[in-house]
């Protein structure tokens, strides 16, 4: 990609006001940027998963479950919902309307800027693909932590900017939700077709 970080600006709130399934696809190709004291690192989003809240058994907010962890999902769209799973921090984008707790998980990115910084954070991983081809991997590479819970993604230090438009988008069931009844079969996982940085099925 021949983009300059100088020309990159956060997407406006209007972008996040799309229906959740549309947002999950619109995020593909967008640039996820995190500015830190160590430097700026960024990557193009190549895989997402949509979670449609109250009626989605795979969602943390299923049945309008409102806890300290899910509180941000009941607020306005365009904010970061970070949570931990198996000690890994995962990053979600809050979507839909206030009091309609839905979100989109960022599952994989293709590194763009700050690659040396990403490599240092993913010490021991020589293959660039393994830096960011999973939701817990990409947050480590970008330095995203639980401290960003509730952050407004329309402003630094963590934000999403325009990137490229995928030529083809693939869709299928989400990953790691086998105990969610019929929801495990919903085709709400989206990825840039044939992209090498998309995570692997277990």
């Amino acid at each position: 990609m021949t983009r300059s970080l100088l020309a990159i600006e956060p997407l406006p709130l209007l972008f996040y006001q799309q229906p959740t399934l549309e947002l999950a696809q619109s995020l593909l190709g967008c640039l996820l940027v995190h500015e830190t004291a160590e430097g700026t690192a960024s990557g193009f989003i190549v895989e997402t998963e949509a979670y449609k809240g109250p009626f989605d058994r795979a969602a943390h907010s299923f049945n309008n479950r409102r806890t300290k962890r899910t509180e941000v999902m009941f607020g306005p769209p365009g904010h970061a919902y970070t949570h931990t799973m198996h000690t890994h921090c995962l990053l979600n984008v809050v979507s839909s309307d206030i009091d309609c707790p839905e979100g989109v998980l960022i599952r994989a990115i293709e590194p763009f800027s700050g690659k040396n910084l990403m490599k240092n954070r993913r010490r021991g991983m020589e293959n660039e693909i393994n830096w960011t081809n999973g939701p817990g991997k990409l947050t480590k590479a970008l330095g995203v932590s639980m401290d960003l819970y509730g952050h407004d993604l329309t402003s630094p230090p963590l934000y999403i900017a325009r990137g490229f438009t995928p030529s083809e988008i693939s869709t299928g069931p989400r990953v790691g939700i086998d105990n969610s009844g019929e929801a495990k079969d919903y085709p709400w996982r989206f990825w840039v077709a044939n992209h090498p940085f998309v995570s692997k099925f277990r």
Side-chain angles (χ1 to χ4, degrees):
M1 300 292 172
T2 57
R3 290 173 60 84
S4 166
L5 280 174
L6 296 177
I8 290 171
E9 295 182 352
L11 287 164
L13 176 60
L14 182 64
F15 173 81
Y16 299 100
Q17 294 173 337
Q18 305 178 64
T20 300
L21 294 180
E22 293 179 19
L23 178 62
Q25 296 171 78
S26 296
L27 283 165
L28 295 176
C30 289
L31 188 67
L32 178 61
V33 184
H34 189 205
E35 301 171 357
T36 70
E38 298 173 291
T40 297
S42 68
F44 296 103
I45 298 170
V46 297
E47 183 181 3
T48 61
E49 285 181 346
Y51 288 87
K52 288 180 62 62
F55 309 103
D56 179 359
R57 290 181 180 275
H60 293 164
S61 54
F62 172 63
N63 204 25
N64 279 309
R65 187 183 300 118
R66 193 164 188 162
T67 64
K68 183 178 180 180
R69 178 170 77 163
T70 64
E71 182 64 32
V72 70
M73 299 186 74
F74 288 83
H79 287 73
Y81 168 42
T82 52
H83 67 90
T84 56
M85 181 174 290
H86 307 304
T87 73
H88 303 296
C89 176
L90 306 189
L91 173 64
N92 302 258
V93 176
V94 175
S95 58
S96 196
D97 301 321
I98 291 176
D99 289 329
C100 184
E102 300 184 3
V104 178
L105 172 67
I106 308 300
R107 276 200 61 87
I109 64 172
E110 174 195 349
F112 173 59
S113 68
K115 290 187 179 182
N116 286 336
L117 183 54
M118 289 190 190
K119 184 176 182 179
N120 288 337
R121 287 170 172 161
R122 299 288 288 135
R123 191 168 287 111
M125 297 286 179
E126 294 301 321
N127 186 342
E128 186 175 313
I129 290 177
N130 289 328
W131 297 351
T132 57
N133 66 341
K137 296 178 181 181
L138 72 89
T139 53
K140 288 183 176 69
L142 292 180
V144 172
S145 69
M146 288 298 298
D147 292 341
L148 288 159
Y149 179 92
H151 175 72
D152 183 349
L153 294 170
T154 65
S155 62
L158 180 68
Y159 59 93
I160 296 171
R162 297 200 182 279
F164 68 90
T165 301
S167 58
E168 183 182 354
I169 294 175
S170 296
T171 183
R174 295 168 294 182
V175 179
I177 56 168
D178 292 340
N179 297 324
S180 57
E182 73 282 355
K184 68 182 177 60
D185 298 317
Y186 296 164
W188 292 350
R189 174 176 171 250
F190 305 95
W191 64 94
V192 177
N194 302 311
H195 198 287
F197 282 84
V198 171
S199 66
K200 306 292 188 211
F201 280 113
R202 288 190 179 87

